Amino acid sequence: MTAPVFVVDSLGPADLTAGEYVLDGPEGRHAVSVKRLRAGEDVVLTDGRGHWAEGVVKAAEGKDRLVVMDLETVQEEPPEQPRITVVQALPKGDRGELAVETMTEVGVDAIVPWAASRCITQWKGERGLKALGKWRATAREAGKQSRRVRFPDVADAATSKQVAALVAAADFAAVLHESGDEPLAAAELPAAGDIVLVVGPEGGVSPEELALFAEAGARPYRLGRSVLRTSTAGTAATAALLTRTGRWS
């Protein structure tokens, strides 16, 4: 899929009129004024939840209105297996958005912001809601850029106990930590089900959190000899797993 992707609220038979769709608002403005699409060019419309349709630009009207035609078949991309969730401790500054962007590009299915005990950044009140909104907007934009039609879910911020519950329900769970005796690249993975990767903050995962997650069923694993930043570890770990699960074959 190489045509540019644009996001719509819903994509079903009721949303199409004679196989056409009018893309307006911010997405229409991006298509017309930024991408400068013109009649005859291919586009893909998606709701970001797996539904998508290929179409052809019929006309660009004004600065923010794109008419797309030949949208006769709405397809659905099934969820990937195994499903990969990354629990991402809250990094400093804008590194959280960088982590979300690159994890989305490589193919993470869900991202859980984690308020770890050693996180410098804390999401509270309006500031927390604004930060969460930025993560979700980043996942949406990165999903479009990487031509995905099923964007990753970005959950509400989780406590360590909530992360432990997520770990307990997984088919495979790993904490990325330098104390791991086994490399993640050698771990035995399920062919289907849920994989959960836990990425700690700049200060590392505390001993209490390691014990909590171990009790829930997560072992510590290392990626390699070097220690990665919290904003890159999840992306690197996901890439390592995708090459072994068949999702990148």
Side-chain angles (χ1 to χ4, degrees), residues 71-144:
L71 293 162
E72 298 178 359
T73 303
V74 176
Q75 303 182 59
E76 182 174 6
E77 179 181 273
E80 297 276 11
Q81 288 291 328
R83 174 181 168 87
I84 298 178
T85 296
V86 175
V87 176
Q88 174 66 58
L90 306 179
K92 296 183 296 183
D94 60 359
R95 289 190 176 277
E97 291 150 56
L98 172 64
V100 171
E101 180 180 59
T102 55
M103 287 192 291
T104 298
E105 290 174 1
V106 298
V108 165
D109 301 294
I111 301 168
V112 180
W114 172 33
S117 63
R118 293 180 175 175
C119 282
I120 297 173
T121 298
Q122 297 294 326
W123 285 4
K124 296 181 179 179
E126 289 297 322
R127 179 183 178 183
L129 292 175
K130 183 178 180 180
L132 178 60
K134 285 184 177 180
W135 280 35
R136 287 174 172 163
T138 299
R140 172 188 168 110
E141 292 306 310
K144 290 169 52 180

Side-chain angles (χ1 to χ4, degrees), residues 25 49 51 59 66 71 110 116 131 133-134 143 150 152 176 178 202 221 236:
R49 298 183 295 275
H51 302 97
L66 194 78
L71 293 162
K134 285 184 177 180
R150 187 178 291 277
L176 303 183
E178 61 269 22
E202 288 89 351
Y221 289 85

Side-chain angles (χ1 to χ4, degrees), residues 45-243:
L45 302 185
T46 180
D47 60 4
R49 298 183 295 275
H51 302 97
W52 61 282
E54 293 179 297
V56 178
V57 176
K58 180 180 181 180
E61 302 173 350
K63 297 181 179 180
D64 61 358
R65 184 180 169 91
L66 194 78
V67 182
V68 183
M69 63 181 182
D70 295 342
L71 293 162
E72 298 178 359
T73 303
V74 176
Q75 303 182 59
E76 182 174 6
E77 179 181 273
E80 297 276 11
Q81 288 291 328
R83 174 181 168 87
I84 298 178
T85 296
V86 175
V87 176
Q88 174 66 58
L90 306 179
K92 296 183 296 183
D94 60 359
R95 289 190 176 277
E97 291 150 56
L98 172 64
V100 171
E101 180 180 59
T102 55
M103 287 192 291
T104 298
E105 290 174 1
V106 298
V108 165
D109 301 294
I111 301 168
V112 180
W114 172 33
S117 63
R118 293 180 175 175
C119 282
I120 297 173
T121 298
Q122 297 294 326
W123 285 4
K124 296 181 179 179
E126 289 297 322
R127 179 183 178 183
L129 292 175
K130 183 178 180 180
L132 178 60
K134 285 184 177 180
W135 280 35
R136 287 174 172 163
T138 299
R140 172 188 168 110
E141 292 306 310
K144 290 169 52 180
Q145 185 276 329
S146 55
R147 306 294 197 264
R148 290 183 63 169
V149 295
R150 187 178 291 277
F151 301 163
D153 299 319
V154 180
D156 293 338
T159 64
S160 294
K161 287 186 178 180
Q162 290 171 324
V163 172
L166 190 66
V167 164
D171 297 282
F172 173 84
V175 180
L176 303 183
H177 198 267
E178 61 269 22
S179 67
D181 294 326
E182 184 180 351
L184 185 65
E188 186 175 345
L189 304 175
D194 293 312
I195 292 176
V196 174
L197 300 174
V198 180
V199 179
E202 288 89 351
V205 182
S206 71
E208 294 79 12
E209 289 163 340
L210 277 176
L212 178 65
F213 299 152
E215 185 179 356
R219 292 178 53 191
Y221 289 85
R222 55 184 169 80
L223 282 175
R225 295 181 180 179
S226 60
V227 177
L228 277 68
R229 288 182 180 270
T230 183
S231 54
T232 55
T235 300
T238 299
L241 295 187
L242 288 173
T243 59

